[in-house]
Amino acid sequence: MIATKRALGCLIFCLFITGCAARSRVIKEVDLGPEAPKPVVKKEAIKERKVEKDMAVASAPTPSPAPSVEKPQSFQPAIPEQPAAPEKITYNQITNLIGEFLDIKPADNASGKPRFVGISENKLVTLEMIGDKDNISITSIKLVYPDDIEPVNADLNNAMMLRFLKNVAPEIKDWSSNIKDIVSRFHSLQLGDKKEETVSLGGKDIKIVSDKSSNSITVIARYQ
């Protein structure tokens, strides 16, 4: 009888312990079940997504604006804030790098002053200088652009005009861009039209004459 009671007590104790353990697992499972653990998003991943978004926006094609027709602007080279003091210009300065393309010779002048004229082999470029070789007072270059001019001759004309302007007005550094504007405005003129533009640079004036009646551009430098 006593042995039976002891066995029954052990059984009850074991069932009690087992029940508590099971209850503990149920409570833990119930506590964890409804709410899933929140995912941890690293800052690096957020930054990567932001960079990818920014790159997508930057690389997205933007609609092209409707093409507009721009009218040629006036001849306005960048003039130095402090114009150079009046100075002499010589025969050698004017003919630097262009004299070898021209046959320059002394020519008659009604005023009695020395005059020099140079003509290119293709007859499309004419250079003129008036004054003593060490003190030229007026110089000009005339460039002819026939309707059927070959590209190589047009390029030579442009190069001669560029070098001439660099020789007579070296204080302006961006003559290359100005040449493109000058030629563009010339080609925009109607047949028979003539346009003159003048820029004053300290002790000299630079005049650009575009003449469609003679298909020519003449650049004149006059020293005071």
PDB file of all heavy atoms in Angstrom, residues 162-197:
ATOM      1  N   LEU A 162      42.348  85.307 -90.051  1.00  0.00           N
ATOM      2  CA  LEU A 162      42.674  85.090 -88.639  1.00  0.00           C
ATOM      3  C   LEU A 162      44.083  85.567 -88.318  1.00  0.00           C
ATOM      4  O   LEU A 162      44.307  86.291 -87.340  1.00  0.00           O
ATOM      5  CB  LEU A 162      42.525  83.605 -88.302  1.00  0.00           C
ATOM      6  CG  LEU A 162      42.953  83.177 -86.897  1.00  0.00           C
ATOM      7  CD1 LEU A 162      42.143  83.911 -85.835  1.00  0.00           C
ATOM      8  CD2 LEU A 162      42.811  81.661 -86.732  1.00  0.00           C
ATOM      9  N   ARG A 163      45.055  85.196 -89.137  1.00  0.00           N
ATOM     10  CA  ARG A 163      46.439  85.599 -88.886  1.00  0.00           C
ATOM     11  C   ARG A 163      46.591  87.106 -89.011  1.00  0.00           C
ATOM     12  O   ARG A 163      47.312  87.728 -88.227  1.00  0.00           O
ATOM     13  CB  ARG A 163      47.369  84.860 -89.841  1.00  0.00           C
ATOM     14  CG  ARG A 163      48.833  85.279 -89.786  1.00  0.00           C
ATOM     15  CD  ARG A 163      49.392  85.419 -88.391  1.00  0.00           C
ATOM     16  NE  ARG A 163      49.241  84.205 -87.589  1.00  0.00           N
ATOM     17  CZ  ARG A 163      49.607  84.130 -86.328  1.00  0.00           C
ATOM     18  NH1 ARG A 163      50.128  85.189 -85.702  1.00  0.00           N
ATOM     19  NH2 ARG A 163      49.454  82.997 -85.649  1.00  0.00           N
ATOM     20  N   PHE A 164      45.925  87.717 -89.982  1.00  0.00           N
ATOM     21  CA  PHE A 164      45.998  89.170 -90.152  1.00  0.00           C
ATOM     22  C   PHE A 164      45.499  89.875 -88.887  1.00  0.00           C
ATOM     23  O   PHE A 164      46.142  90.806 -88.377  1.00  0.00           O
ATOM     24  CB  PHE A 164      45.170  89.599 -91.367  1.00  0.00           C
ATOM     25  CG  PHE A 164      45.112  91.083 -91.588  1.00  0.00           C
ATOM     26  CD1 PHE A 164      46.150  91.750 -92.221  1.00  0.00           C
ATOM     27  CD2 PHE A 164      44.012  91.818 -91.175  1.00  0.00           C
ATOM     28  CE1 PHE A 164      46.096  93.128 -92.431  1.00  0.00           C
ATOM     29  CE2 PHE A 164      43.948  93.191 -91.377  1.00  0.00           C
ATOM     30  CZ  PHE A 164      44.994  93.849 -92.006  1.00  0.00           C
ATOM     31  N   LEU A 165      44.356  89.439 -88.367  1.00  0.00           N
ATOM     32  CA  LEU A 165      43.791  90.073 -87.174  1.00  0.00           C
ATOM     33  C   LEU A 165      44.684  89.848 -85.952  1.00  0.00           C
ATOM     34  O   LEU A 165      44.825  90.723 -85.105  1.00  0.00           O
ATOM     35  CB  LEU A 165      42.381  89.536 -86.912  1.00  0.00           C
ATOM     36  CG  LEU A 165      41.306  90.123 -87.829  1.00  0.00           C
ATOM     37  CD1 LEU A 165      40.018  89.301 -87.765  1.00  0.00           C
ATOM     38  CD2 LEU A 165      41.024  91.574 -87.481  1.00  0.00           C
ATOM     39  N   LYS A 166      45.282  88.665 -85.855  1.00  0.00           N
ATOM     40  CA  LYS A 166      46.207  88.417 -84.750  1.00  0.00           C
ATOM     41  C   LYS A 166      47.437  89.313 -84.856  1.00  0.00           C
ATOM     42  O   LYS A 166      48.001  89.730 -83.835  1.00  0.00           O
ATOM     43  CB  LYS A 166      46.628  86.944 -84.739  1.00  0.00           C
ATOM     44  CG  LYS A 166      45.560  86.003 -84.212  1.00  0.00           C
ATOM     45  CD  LYS A 166      46.098  84.584 -84.113  1.00  0.00           C
ATOM     46  CE  LYS A 166      45.092  83.660 -83.450  1.00  0.00           C
ATOM     47  NZ  LYS A 166      45.627  82.269 -83.323  1.00  0.00           N
ATOM     48  N   ASN A 167      47.848  89.606 -86.075  1.00  0.00           N
ATOM     49  CA  ASN A 167      49.018  90.460 -86.271  1.00  0.00           C
ATOM     50  C   ASN A 167      48.731  91.922 -85.934  1.00  0.00           C
ATOM     51  O   ASN A 167      49.557  92.595 -85.314  1.00  0.00           O
ATOM     52  CB  ASN A 167      49.514  90.358 -87.715  1.00  0.00           C
ATOM     53  CG  ASN A 167      50.143  89.009 -88.020  1.00  0.00           C
ATOM     54  OD1 ASN A 167      50.445  88.229 -87.129  1.00  0.00           O
ATOM     55  ND2 ASN A 167      50.357  88.731 -89.300  1.00  0.00           N
ATOM     56  N   VAL A 168      47.552  92.411 -86.351  1.00  0.00           N
ATOM     57  CA  VAL A 168      47.268  93.838 -86.181  1.00  0.00           C
ATOM     58  C   VAL A 168      46.620  94.151 -84.832  1.00  0.00           C
ATOM     59  O   VAL A 168      46.660  95.297 -84.377  1.00  0.00           O
ATOM     60  CB  VAL A 168      46.368  94.377 -87.326  1.00  0.00           C
ATOM     61  CG1 VAL A 168      47.054  94.192 -88.667  1.00  0.00           C
ATOM     62  CG2 VAL A 168      44.999  93.729 -87.321  1.00  0.00           C
ATOM     63  N   ALA A 169      46.003  93.158 -84.186  1.00  0.00           N
ATOM     64  CA  ALA A 169      45.354  93.389 -82.885  1.00  0.00           C
ATOM     65  C   ALA A 169      45.609  92.200 -81.968  1.00  0.00           C
ATOM     66  O   ALA A 169      44.690  91.450 -81.618  1.00  0.00           O
ATOM     67  CB  ALA A 169      43.858  93.626 -83.067  1.00  0.00           C
ATOM     68  N   PRO A 170      46.858  91.992 -81.556  1.00  0.00           N
ATOM     69  CA  PRO A 170      47.196  90.822 -80.731  1.00  0.00           C
ATOM     70  C   PRO A 170      46.608  90.866 -79.329  1.00  0.00           C
ATOM     71  O   PRO A 170      46.605  89.858 -78.637  1.00  0.00           O
ATOM     72  CB  PRO A 170      48.731  90.865 -80.694  1.00  0.00           C
ATOM     73  CG  PRO A 170      49.081  92.302 -80.924  1.00  0.00           C
ATOM     74  CD  PRO A 170      48.043  92.827 -81.858  1.00  0.00           C
ATOM     75  N   GLU A 171      46.108  92.032 -78.897  1.00  0.00           N
ATOM     76  CA  GLU A 171      45.559  92.123 -77.544  1.00  0.00           C
ATOM     77  C   GLU A 171      44.247  91.353 -77.397  1.00  0.00           C
ATOM     78  O   GLU A 171      43.821  91.046 -76.285  1.00  0.00           O
ATOM     79  CB  GLU A 171      45.350  93.592 -77.134  1.00  0.00           C
ATOM     80  CG  GLU A 171      44.363  94.364 -77.992  1.00  0.00           C
ATOM     81  CD  GLU A 171      45.042  95.071 -79.159  1.00  0.00           C
ATOM     82  OE1 GLU A 171      45.990  94.506 -79.729  1.00  0.00           O
ATOM     83  OE2 GLU A 171      44.615  96.192 -79.501  1.00  0.00           O
ATOM     84  N   ILE A 172      43.592  91.055 -78.514  1.00  0.00           N
ATOM     85  CA  ILE A 172      42.381  90.235 -78.468  1.00  0.00           C
ATOM     86  C   ILE A 172      42.796  88.780 -78.652  1.00  0.00           C
ATOM     87  O   ILE A 172      43.378  88.413 -79.670  1.00  0.00           O
ATOM     88  CB  ILE A 172      41.373  90.674 -79.553  1.00  0.00           C
ATOM     89  CG1 ILE A 172      40.878  92.092 -79.244  1.00  0.00           C
ATOM     90  CG2 ILE A 172      40.204  89.702 -79.620  1.00  0.00           C
ATOM     91  CD1 ILE A 172      39.883  92.635 -80.228  1.00  0.00           C
ATOM     92  N   LYS A 173      42.475  87.952 -77.669  1.00  0.00           N
ATOM     93  CA  LYS A 173      42.975  86.576 -77.646  1.00  0.00           C
ATOM     94  C   LYS A 173      42.048  85.569 -78.326  1.00  0.00           C
ATOM     95  O   LYS A 173      42.466  84.463 -78.642  1.00  0.00           O
ATOM     96  CB  LYS A 173      43.201  86.132 -76.195  1.00  0.00           C
ATOM     97  CG  LYS A 173      44.104  87.058 -75.394  1.00  0.00           C
ATOM     98  CD  LYS A 173      45.474  87.202 -76.055  1.00  0.00           C
ATOM     99  CE  LYS A 173      46.396  88.108 -75.234  1.00  0.00           C
ATOM    100  NZ  LYS A 173      47.697  88.330 -75.900  1.00  0.00           N
ATOM    101  N   ASP A 174      40.797  85.934 -78.554  1.00  0.00           N
ATOM    102  CA  ASP A 174      39.837  84.949 -79.060  1.00  0.00           C
ATOM    103  C   ASP A 174      39.392  85.270 -80.485  1.00  0.00           C
ATOM    104  O   ASP A 174      38.210  85.230 -80.804  1.00  0.00           O
ATOM    105  CB  ASP A 174      38.619  84.894 -78.132  1.00  0.00           C
ATOM    106  CG  ASP A 174      37.746  83.668 -78.396  1.00  0.00           C
ATOM    107  OD1 ASP A 174      38.285  82.683 -78.926  1.00  0.00           O
ATOM    108  OD2 ASP A 174      36.549  83.707 -78.097  1.00  0.00           O
ATOM    109  N   TRP A 175      40.343  85.579 -81.351  1.00  0.00           N
ATOM    110  CA  TRP A 175      39.991  85.884 -82.731  1.00  0.00           C
ATOM    111  C   TRP A 175      39.400  84.668 -83.449  1.00  0.00           C
ATOM    112  O   TRP A 175      38.618  84.816 -84.391  1.00  0.00           O
ATOM    113  CB  TRP A 175      41.217  86.388 -83.491  1.00  0.00           C
ATOM    114  CG  TRP A 175      41.506  87.848 -83.311  1.00  0.00           C
ATOM    115  CD1 TRP A 175      42.670  88.411 -82.862  1.00  0.00           C
ATOM    116  CD2 TRP A 175      40.629  88.954 -83.584  1.00  0.00           C
ATOM    117  NE1 TRP A 175      42.567  89.779 -82.826  1.00  0.00           N
ATOM    118  CE2 TRP A 175      41.323  90.147 -83.272  1.00  0.00           C
ATOM    119  CE3 TRP A 175      39.323  89.048 -84.052  1.00  0.00           C
ATOM    120  CZ2 TRP A 175      40.759  91.405 -83.413  1.00  0.00           C
ATOM    121  CZ3 TRP A 175      38.749  90.313 -84.194  1.00  0.00           C
ATOM    122  CH2 TRP A 175      39.468  91.461 -83.877  1.00  0.00           C
ATOM    123  N   SER A 176      39.759  83.458 -83.045  1.00  0.00           N
ATOM    124  CA  SER A 176      39.259  82.256 -83.716  1.00  0.00           C
ATOM    125  C   SER A 176      37.733  82.212 -83.696  1.00  0.00           C
ATOM    126  O   SER A 176      37.092  81.953 -84.722  1.00  0.00           O
ATOM    127  CB  SER A 176      39.824  80.997 -83.060  1.00  0.00           C
ATOM    128  OG  SER A 176      41.228  80.962 -83.172  1.00  0.00           O
ATOM    129  N   SER A 177      37.133  82.460 -82.536  1.00  0.00           N
ATOM    130  CA  SER A 177      35.669  82.460 -82.438  1.00  0.00           C
ATOM    131  C   SER A 177      35.065  83.613 -83.224  1.00  0.00           C
ATOM    132  O   SER A 177      34.008  83.472 -83.854  1.00  0.00           O
ATOM    133  CB  SER A 177      35.239  82.555 -80.972  1.00  0.00           C
ATOM    134  OG  SER A 177      35.693  81.444 -80.246  1.00  0.00           O
ATOM    135  N   ASN A 178      35.735  84.757 -83.207  1.00  0.00           N
ATOM    136  CA  ASN A 178      35.219  85.916 -83.928  1.00  0.00           C
ATOM    137  C   ASN A 178      35.231  85.694 -85.439  1.00  0.00           C
ATOM    138  O   ASN A 178      34.352  86.175 -86.153  1.00  0.00           O
ATOM    139  CB  ASN A 178      36.037  87.165 -83.575  1.00  0.00           C
ATOM    140  CG  ASN A 178      35.759  87.644 -82.159  1.00  0.00           C
ATOM    141  OD1 ASN A 178      34.630  87.907 -81.784  1.00  0.00           O
ATOM    142  ND2 ASN A 178      36.794  87.726 -81.358  1.00  0.00           N
ATOM    143  N   ILE A 179      36.234  84.968 -85.941  1.00  0.00           N
ATOM    144  CA  ILE A 179      36.295  84.685 -87.377  1.00  0.00           C
ATOM    145  C   ILE A 179      35.070  83.893 -87.800  1.00  0.00           C
ATOM    146  O   ILE A 179      34.456  84.158 -88.843  1.00  0.00           O
ATOM    147  CB  ILE A 179      37.590  83.912 -87.722  1.00  0.00           C
ATOM    148  CG1 ILE A 179      38.813  84.809 -87.537  1.00  0.00           C
ATOM    149  CG2 ILE A 179      37.539  83.378 -89.151  1.00  0.00           C
ATOM    150  CD1 ILE A 179      38.866  85.996 -88.452  1.00  0.00           C
ATOM    151  N   LYS A 180      34.690  82.902 -86.991  1.00  0.00           N
ATOM    152  CA  LYS A 180      33.513  82.095 -87.318  1.00  0.00           C
ATOM    153  C   LYS A 180      32.266  82.969 -87.383  1.00  0.00           C
ATOM    154  O   LYS A 180      31.420  82.798 -88.268  1.00  0.00           O
ATOM    155  CB  LYS A 180      33.333  80.992 -86.274  1.00  0.00           C
ATOM    156  CG  LYS A 180      34.457  79.965 -86.261  1.00  0.00           C
ATOM    157  CD  LYS A 180      34.249  78.943 -85.154  1.00  0.00           C
ATOM    158  CE  LYS A 180      35.407  77.955 -85.094  1.00  0.00           C
ATOM    159  NZ  LYS A 180      35.243  76.975 -83.974  1.00  0.00           N
ATOM    160  N   ASP A 181      32.146  83.925 -86.454  1.00  0.00           N
ATOM    161  CA  ASP A 181      30.997  84.820 -86.448  1.00  0.00           C
ATOM    162  C   ASP A 181      31.000  85.734 -87.671  1.00  0.00           C
ATOM    163  O   ASP A 181      29.958  85.977 -88.292  1.00  0.00           O
ATOM    164  CB  ASP A 181      30.993  85.668 -85.174  1.00  0.00           C
ATOM    165  CG  ASP A 181      30.777  84.827 -83.927  1.00  0.00           C
ATOM    166  OD1 ASP A 181      30.239  83.717 -84.056  1.00  0.00           O
ATOM    167  OD2 ASP A 181      31.158  85.276 -82.827  1.00  0.00           O
ATOM    168  N   ILE A 182      32.172  86.252 -88.019  1.00  0.00           N
ATOM    169  CA  ILE A 182      32.279  87.158 -89.170  1.00  0.00           C
ATOM    170  C   ILE A 182      31.868  86.443 -90.458  1.00  0.00           C
ATOM    171  O   ILE A 182      31.073  86.952 -91.256  1.00  0.00           O
ATOM    172  CB  ILE A 182      33.715  87.703 -89.294  1.00  0.00           C
ATOM    173  CG1 ILE A 182      34.032  88.624 -88.120  1.00  0.00           C
ATOM    174  CG2 ILE A 182      33.901  88.454 -90.614  1.00  0.00           C
ATOM    175  CD1 ILE A 182      35.499  89.009 -88.015  1.00  0.00           C
ATOM    176  N   VAL A 183      32.395  85.234 -90.660  1.00  0.00           N
ATOM    177  CA  VAL A 183      32.084  84.474 -91.875  1.00  0.00           C
ATOM    178  C   VAL A 183      30.604  84.070 -91.891  1.00  0.00           C
ATOM    179  O   VAL A 183      29.943  84.110 -92.934  1.00  0.00           O
ATOM    180  CB  VAL A 183      32.995  83.231 -91.976  1.00  0.00           C
ATOM    181  CG1 VAL A 183      32.584  82.357 -93.161  1.00  0.00           C
ATOM    182  CG2 VAL A 183      34.452  83.657 -92.132  1.00  0.00           C
ATOM    183  N   SER A 184      30.071  83.691 -90.735  1.00  0.00           N
ATOM    184  CA  SER A 184      28.665  83.301 -90.658  1.00  0.00           C
ATOM    185  C   SER A 184      27.749  84.462 -91.018  1.00  0.00           C
ATOM    186  O   SER A 184      26.767  84.291 -91.760  1.00  0.00           O
ATOM    187  CB  SER A 184      28.346  82.799 -89.243  1.00  0.00           C
ATOM    188  OG  SER A 184      26.978  82.495 -89.114  1.00  0.00           O
ATOM    189  N   ARG A 185      28.066  85.658 -90.515  1.00  0.00           N
ATOM    190  CA  ARG A 185      27.243  86.829 -90.835  1.00  0.00           C
ATOM    191  C   ARG A 185      27.358  87.182 -92.308  1.00  0.00           C
ATOM    192  O   ARG A 185      26.378  87.602 -92.936  1.00  0.00           O
ATOM    193  CB  ARG A 185      27.665  88.019 -89.966  1.00  0.00           C
ATOM    194  CG  ARG A 185      27.153  87.917 -88.542  1.00  0.00           C
ATOM    195  CD  ARG A 185      27.303  89.255 -87.824  1.00  0.00           C
ATOM    196  NE  ARG A 185      28.675  89.681 -87.768  1.00  0.00           N
ATOM    197  CZ  ARG A 185      29.546  89.245 -86.863  1.00  0.00           C
ATOM    198  NH1 ARG A 185      29.168  88.366 -85.971  1.00  0.00           N
ATOM    199  NH2 ARG A 185      30.779  89.677 -86.849  1.00  0.00           N
ATOM    200  N   PHE A 186      28.537  87.012 -92.878  1.00  0.00           N
ATOM    201  CA  PHE A 186      28.718  87.294 -94.300  1.00  0.00           C
ATOM    202  C   PHE A 186      27.820  86.392 -95.144  1.00  0.00           C
ATOM    203  O   PHE A 186      27.128  86.857 -96.062  1.00  0.00           O
ATOM    204  CB  PHE A 186      30.189  87.089 -94.688  1.00  0.00           C
ATOM    205  CG  PHE A 186      30.428  87.017 -96.165  1.00  0.00           C
ATOM    206  CD1 PHE A 186      30.369  88.162 -96.956  1.00  0.00           C
ATOM    207  CD2 PHE A 186      30.705  85.800 -96.786  1.00  0.00           C
ATOM    208  CE1 PHE A 186      30.585  88.096 -98.326  1.00  0.00           C
ATOM    209  CE2 PHE A 186      30.925  85.731 -98.151  1.00  0.00           C
ATOM    210  CZ  PHE A 186      30.862  86.883 -98.923  1.00  0.00           C
ATOM    211  N   HIS A 187      27.795  85.106 -94.840  1.00  0.00           N
ATOM    212  CA  HIS A 187      26.995  84.162 -95.623  1.00  0.00           C
ATOM    213  C   HIS A 187      25.496  84.358 -95.396  1.00  0.00           C
ATOM    214  O   HIS A 187      24.691  83.909 -96.221  1.00  0.00           O
ATOM    215  CB  HIS A 187      27.392  82.727 -95.284  1.00  0.00           C
ATOM    216  CG  HIS A 187      28.736  82.329 -95.830  1.00  0.00           C
ATOM    217  ND1 HIS A 187      29.040  82.345 -97.180  1.00  0.00           N
ATOM    218  CD2 HIS A 187      29.869  81.905 -95.204  1.00  0.00           C
ATOM    219  CE1 HIS A 187      30.285  81.941 -97.368  1.00  0.00           C
ATOM    220  NE2 HIS A 187      30.820  81.689 -96.189  1.00  0.00           N
ATOM    221  N   SER A 188      25.115  85.019 -94.305  1.00  0.00           N
ATOM    222  CA  SER A 188      23.691  85.248 -94.037  1.00  0.00           C
ATOM    223  C   SER A 188      23.145  86.462 -94.806  1.00  0.00           C
ATOM    224  O   SER A 188      21.932  86.658 -94.849  1.00  0.00           O
ATOM    225  CB  SER A 188      23.463  85.449 -92.539  1.00  0.00           C
ATOM    226  OG  SER A 188      24.002  86.682 -92.100  1.00  0.00           O
ATOM    227  N   LEU A 189      24.031  87.260 -95.397  1.00  0.00           N
ATOM    228  CA  LEU A 189      23.585  88.433 -96.154  1.00  0.00           C
ATOM    229  C   LEU A 189      22.925  88.013 -97.465  1.00  0.00           C
ATOM    230  O   LEU A 189      23.261  86.985 -98.055  1.00  0.00           O
ATOM    231  CB  LEU A 189      24.778  89.356 -96.451  1.00  0.00           C
ATOM    232  CG  LEU A 189      25.476  90.005 -95.249  1.00  0.00           C
ATOM    233  CD1 LEU A 189      26.674  90.816 -95.732  1.00  0.00           C
ATOM    234  CD2 LEU A 189      24.520  90.886 -94.464  1.00  0.00           C
ATOM    235  N   GLN A 190      21.998  88.846 -97.905  1.00  0.00           N
ATOM    236  CA  GLN A 190      21.352  88.633 -99.201  1.00  0.00           C
ATOM    237  C   GLN A 190      22.220  89.215-100.316  1.00  0.00           C
ATOM    238  O   GLN A 190      23.091  90.056-100.076  1.00  0.00           O
ATOM    239  CB  GLN A 190      19.968  89.293 -99.224  1.00  0.00           C
ATOM    240  CG  GLN A 190      19.005  88.749 -98.161  1.00  0.00           C
ATOM    241  CD  GLN A 190      18.700  87.286 -98.349  1.00  0.00           C
ATOM    242  OE1 GLN A 190      18.520  86.809 -99.478  1.00  0.00           O
ATOM    243  NE2 GLN A 190      18.648  86.544 -97.245  1.00  0.00           N
ATOM    244  N   LEU A 191      21.998  88.758-101.530  1.00  0.00           N
ATOM    245  CA  LEU A 191      22.761  89.225-102.677  1.00  0.00           C
ATOM    246  C   LEU A 191      22.656  90.752-102.798  1.00  0.00           C
ATOM    247  O   LEU A 191      21.560  91.313-102.794  1.00  0.00           O
ATOM    248  CB  LEU A 191      22.257  88.567-103.960  1.00  0.00           C
ATOM    249  CG  LEU A 191      22.999  88.930-105.253  1.00  0.00           C
ATOM    250  CD1 LEU A 191      24.448  88.488-105.179  1.00  0.00           C
ATOM    251  CD2 LEU A 191      22.309  88.324-106.466  1.00  0.00           C
ATOM    252  N   GLY A 192      23.816  91.420-102.865  1.00  0.00           N
ATOM    253  CA  GLY A 192      23.849  92.876-102.983  1.00  0.00           C
ATOM    254  C   GLY A 192      23.930  93.607-101.664  1.00  0.00           C
ATOM    255  O   GLY A 192      24.177  94.820-101.642  1.00  0.00           O
ATOM    256  N   ASP A 193      23.730  92.898-100.547  1.00  0.00           N
ATOM    257  CA  ASP A 193      23.780  93.541 -99.226  1.00  0.00           C
ATOM    258  C   ASP A 193      25.230  93.867 -98.841  1.00  0.00           C
ATOM    259  O   ASP A 193      26.176  93.209 -99.273  1.00  0.00           O
ATOM    260  CB  ASP A 193      23.180  92.636 -98.151  1.00  0.00           C
ATOM    261  CG  ASP A 193      21.661  92.587 -98.237  1.00  0.00           C
ATOM    262  OD1 ASP A 193      21.093  93.363 -99.029  1.00  0.00           O
ATOM    263  OD2 ASP A 193      21.061  91.767 -97.522  1.00  0.00           O
ATOM    264  N   LYS A 194      25.359  94.880 -97.980  1.00  0.00           N
ATOM    265  CA  LYS A 194      26.673  95.286 -97.479  1.00  0.00           C
ATOM    266  C   LYS A 194      26.544  95.665 -96.017  1.00  0.00           C
ATOM    267  O   LYS A 194      25.616  96.378 -95.636  1.00  0.00           O
ATOM    268  CB  LYS A 194      27.218  96.465 -98.288  1.00  0.00           C
ATOM    269  CG  LYS A 194      28.640  96.875 -97.929  1.00  0.00           C
ATOM    270  CD  LYS A 194      29.137  97.985 -98.854  1.00  0.00           C
ATOM    271  CE  LYS A 194      30.563  98.381 -98.537  1.00  0.00           C
ATOM    272  NZ  LYS A 194      31.046  99.461 -99.453  1.00  0.00           N
ATOM    273  N   LYS A 195      27.471  95.204 -95.203  1.00  0.00           N
ATOM    274  CA  LYS A 195      27.403  95.475 -93.773  1.00  0.00           C
ATOM    275  C   LYS A 195      28.781  95.889 -93.282  1.00  0.00           C
ATOM    276  O   LYS A 195      29.784  95.266 -93.619  1.00  0.00           O
ATOM    277  CB  LYS A 195      26.934  94.224 -93.023  1.00  0.00           C
ATOM    278  CG  LYS A 195      26.723  94.429 -91.526  1.00  0.00           C
ATOM    279  CD  LYS A 195      26.201  93.163 -90.877  1.00  0.00           C
ATOM    280  CE  LYS A 195      25.946  93.350 -89.383  1.00  0.00           C
ATOM    281  NZ  LYS A 195      24.925  94.375 -89.110  1.00  0.00           N
ATOM    282  N   GLU A 196      28.829  96.957 -92.467  1.00  0.00           N
ATOM    283  CA  GLU A 196      30.086  97.442 -91.898  1.00  0.00           C
ATOM    284  C   GLU A 196      29.985  97.454 -90.375  1.00  0.00           C
ATOM    285  O   GLU A 196      28.971  97.856 -89.809  1.00  0.00           O
ATOM    286  CB  GLU A 196      30.399  98.853 -92.406  1.00  0.00           C
ATOM    287  CG  GLU A 196      30.643  98.931 -93.899  1.00  0.00           C
ATOM    288  CD  GLU A 196      31.087 100.326 -94.333  1.00  0.00           C
ATOM    289  OE1 GLU A 196      31.262 101.191 -93.443  1.00  0.00           O
ATOM    290  OE2 GLU A 196      31.240 100.549 -95.545  1.00  0.00           O
ATOM    291  N   GLU A 197      31.041  97.020 -89.730  1.00  0.00           N
ATOM    292  CA  GLU A 197      31.123  97.022 -88.274  1.00  0.00           C
ATOM    293  C   GLU A 197      32.510  97.492 -87.874  1.00  0.00           C
ATOM    294  O   GLU A 197      33.506  97.081 -88.479  1.00  0.00           O
ATOM    295  CB  GLU A 197      30.856  95.626 -87.715  1.00  0.00           C
ATOM    296  CG  GLU A 197      29.470  95.089 -88.076  1.00  0.00           C
ATOM    297  CD  GLU A 197      29.333  93.614 -87.754  1.00  0.00           C
ATOM    298  OE1 GLU A 197      29.890  92.795 -88.505  1.00  0.00           O
ATOM    299  OE2 GLU A 197      28.678  93.296 -86.751  1.00  0.00           O
TER     300      GLU A 197
END
